[in-house]
Amino acid sequence: MYSFKNDYSEGAHPNIIEALVKSNLEQTSGYGQDAYTEEAVHSIKEIVKDENVDVHLLVGGTQTNLTAISAFLRPHEAVISVETGHVCVHETGAIEATGHKVIAVPSENGKIRAGQILKVLATHTDEHMVKPKLVYISDSTEIGTIYTKAELEAISSVCKANGLYLFLDGARIGSALMCKENDLKMEDFPSLTDAFYIGGTKNGALMGEALVICNPTLKADFRYHIKQKGGLLAKGRLLGIQFAQLFKEDLFFSLATYANEMADLLRAAIKETGYEFFSESPTNQIFVIFPNEILEKLEKDFDFTIWEKIDEKRTAVRLVTSWATTRKGVESFIKALKDA
Ligand SMILES: Cc1ncc(COP(=O)(O)O)c(C=O)c1O
């Protein structure tokens, strides 16, 4: 069985494991106040080309989303997200559990359009309703698509003009930035968003997300919020060591590039066979529609996610590649698909 189920099916890149082992018996300060975390924060400020951002290392995506969003909003304020957004459908109502409504809008290719934000504002007019205050987007999106720079600029300017915060979930930002179609750079985010995070879990780390707070008004007391939500790790250096390694010699970017290359090979072969894609994803997640009899054959040797039943005869599935996906695994899938 070879798995294309996820980009977190494997452990961590050897450089990270080695660094963790090497530092194992060192005694350091706790709660992210160690030299490794300092080094990671310094590297991230260099990568985003902004010394003034605040960087906090957290363990997981849901935890980062709920900690950041609940810290940024006042009790009556709400989030706008597309209905396919991770905070809408895959976080067990975590945002709502902190007291903030998530206003869901229809998605086009997993993305929100600037005009949809204005529409939500136009229909939330007074104190009998929640007040939309933060726009949540993800890049790459939950269906593998990416935002163009022009799209992000349009969303950012609508947010700025209307006093909304823009929060970008970068669980898969590595894959988004390194795919051929992308025209955004890491250094674009501090001016275009109020906060964003750089996902390590899905790009070679054992675990970890680096939250970057760009808007000065959102920075105060953030460590209190992390602690209150149970996210301040006593052994915080474990995150620092991992992010310090990820940003040494561009490891983060080369791992994402490799995952994308493996996805490109799969995508090209699927295109050749003529099956239809469920979404036009250029990143490490591929969504394809297979006839059920082909699916049954592939399922014998490969693991992937059943995404959605299209009709009685066809099903959409998700294939994900990672920094550790083997060429052999990809080639054997391609062979099996052609044989099927
Ligand atoms: C866009 C997005 N955000 C966040 C997450 C991570 O959530 P967690 O680490 O809590 O599983 C995922 C994971 O699939 C994701 O796709």
Side-chain angles (χ1 to χ4, degrees):
M1 237 337 153
Y2 195 76
S3 176
F4 292 101
K5 205 157 184 146
N6 245 309
D7 34 18
Y8 48 84
S9 302
E10 298 92 359
H13 188 271
N15 290 9
I16 288 177
I17 298 295
E18 272 166 33
L20 289 167
V21 171
K22 208 168 142 207
S23 60
N24 194 37
L25 292 179
E26 277 175 34
Q27 295 176 318
T28 63
S29 301
Y31 298 106
Q33 290 180 320
D34 60 280
Y36 292 107
T37 303
E38 198 181 317
E39 182 187 342
V41 168
H42 176 72
S43 300
I44 290 168
K45 287 183 176 188
E46 277 193 343
I47 295 280
V48 306
K49 296 201 168 98
D50 191 339
E51 266 303 303
N52 298 317
V53 297
D54 277 2
V55 179
H56 300 277
L57 305 182
L58 291 105
V59 173
T62 302
Q63 181 193 58
T64 305
N65 287 336
L66 80 89
T67 306
I69 292 173
S70 65
F72 298 162
L73 298 183
R74 295 184 65 206
H76 59 292
E77 292 175 339
V79 177
I80 306 174
S81 162
V82 283
E83 60 201 4
T84 49
H86 208 259
V87 292
C88 262
V89 280
H90 286 124
E91 297 190 358
T92 328
I95 304 301
E96 288 90 342
T98 66
H100 302 282
K101 180 170 176 157
V102 180
I103 303 166
V105 300
S107 106
E108 205 179 286
N109 287 325
K111 298 191 270 186
I112 198 165
R113 303 272 161 217
Q116 292 178 292
I117 300 167
L118 292 172
K119 218 166 159 186
V120 172
L121 291 177
T123 52
H124 288 77
T125 49
D126 61 41
E127 68 277 13
H128 297 275
M129 302 169 184
V130 291
K131 185 175 181 183
K133 185 66 186 176
L134 182 145
V135 174
Y136 165 93
I137 60 171
S138 48
D139 193 33
S140 61
T141 70
E142 292 72 8
I143 54 166
T145 52
I146 56 167
Y147 280 90
T148 64
K149 192 169 181 190
E151 286 168 342
L152 191 61
E153 281 170 347
I155 293 166
S156 177
S157 67
V158 162
C159 288
K160 284 187 177 125
N162 292 280
L164 302 174
Y165 302 130
L166 179 58
F167 177 71
L168 187 147
D169 174 335
R172 292 195 174 89
I173 209 170
S175 179
L177 291 178
M178 300 322 286
C179 78
K180 293 182 198 98
E181 288 78 353
N182 171 65
D183 65 349
L184 278 163
K185 296 198 181 85
M186 202 69 104
E187 68 247 40
D188 293 325
F189 297 124
S191 59
L192 292 175
T193 73
D194 294 281
F196 66 100
Y197 79 82
I198 301 170
T201 305
K202 296 174 173 67
N203 195 32
L206 275 180
M207 85 296 275
E209 322 295 325
L211 175 69
V212 182
I213 306 181
C214 319
N215 181 338
T217 60
L218 302 178
K219 291 176 182 172
D221 297 340
F222 198 78
R223 279 173 60 82
Y224 288 78
H225 291 279
I226 301 178
K227 178 70 183 178
Q228 200 177 56
K229 293 286 183 291
L232 203 58
L233 277 192
K235 293 186 185 175
R237 80 165 190 227
L238 298 179
L239 296 172
I241 290 166
Q242 295 186 76
F243 275 99
Q245 286 300 320
L246 277 180
F247 289 109
K248 255 190 199 127
E249 288 159 20
D250 283 345
L251 180 66
F252 181 85
F253 299 104
S254 56
L255 296 183
T257 302
Y258 176 81
N260 284 352
E261 273 170 26
M262 293 303 104
D264 287 344
L265 291 178
L266 283 176
R267 210 167 358 246
I270 293 167
K271 249 185 205 148
E272 254 180 57
T273 57
Y275 294 118
E276 197 185 329
F277 287 91
F278 178 77
S279 78
E280 286 301 322
S281 157
T283 57
N284 71 324
Q285 299 184 85
I286 299 171
F287 294 80
V288 58
I289 300 170
F290 285 133
N292 293 343
E293 65 271 19
I294 299 292
L295 198 60
E296 277 164 27
K297 286 184 185 164
L298 292 172
E299 274 177 328
K300 287 191 186 126
D301 294 312
F302 301 94
D303 207 2
F304 41 78
T305 304
I306 302 294
W307 198 254
E308 198 173 300
K309 185 176 161 182
I310 301 294
D311 53 36
E312 286 311 309
K313 293 189 173 149
R314 297 173 313 148
T315 305
V317 306
R318 182 183 77 160
L319 302 166
V320 187
T321 57
S322 82
W323 61 276
T325 296
T326 62
R327 234 168 244 279
K328 202 168 153 225
V330 169
E331 283 163 3
S332 59
F333 184 89
I334 293 173
K335 182 174 181 314
L337 180 61
K338 290 189 173 162
D339 291 349

